[in-house]
């Protein structure tokens, strides 16, 4: 008996998320089709120019914006940043350093420090 393996496919939104790009900024042929696991791997290994440009210039999805600003996604929401931002807009925000950005960066640093403390405590407990 031979096993038949079907090709895994995903929706364009899932593929865009895995690629770290904003779906609405991708080419129409990407948004309107389905993406196989092999196609996703190929896009990651050998990104076409449109993917390189999106990763470099944006617009970027919220997780990428948050990471580039050093804040959480919730922090973006608290600040009223709900739209995707371009790299230029992100850099402008960094230069302006508004009060909310400094506050959210401090909060994010505290959250990371606490997570590291808990991890260390749990590791010590298991030893």
């Amino acid at each position: 008996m031979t096993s038949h393996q079907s090709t895994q496919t995903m929706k364009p939104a899932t593929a865009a998320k895995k690629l770290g790009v904003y779906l609405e900024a991708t080419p129409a042929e990407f948004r309107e089709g389905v993406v196989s696991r092999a196609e996703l791997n190929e896009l990651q290994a050998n990104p076409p120019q449109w993917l390189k440009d999106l990763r470099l210039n944006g617009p970027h999805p919220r997780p990428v914006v948050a990471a580039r600003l050093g804040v959480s996604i919730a922090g973006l929401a608290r600040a009223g940043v709900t739209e995707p931002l371009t790299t230029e807009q992100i850099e402008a925000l960094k230069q302006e350093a508004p009060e909310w950005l400094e506050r959210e960066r401090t909060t994010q640093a505290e959250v990371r420090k606490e997570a590291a403390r808990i991890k260390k405590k749990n590791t010590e407990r298991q030893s």
Side-chain angles (χ1 to χ4, degrees), residues 69-71 79 93-110:
L69 289 173
V71 300
L93 269 175
K94 286 180 179 179
Q95 292 298 317
E96 292 170 19
E99 185 269 332
W100 70 264
L101 180 57
E102 297 304 318
R103 184 179 60 245
E104 291 300 337
R105 282 179 168 172
T106 301
T107 301
Q108 186 71 354
E110 290 169 3

Side-chain angles (χ1 to χ4, degrees), residues 12-33:
T14 303
K17 189 173 187 178
K18 289 179 181 287
L19 292 169
V21 295
Y22 181 57
L23 177 64
E24 300 306 315
T26 60
E29 61 268 12
F30 180 85
R31 286 192 309 266
E32 294 166 2

Side-chain angles (χ1 to χ4, degrees), residues 57-61 65 69 76 81 83-90 93:
N57 303 316
H60 303 288
V65 172
L69 289 173
L76 286 178
V81 179
E83 296 298 315
L85 300 178
T86 64
T87 300
E88 188 177 307
Q89 291 169 314
I90 292 169
L93 269 175

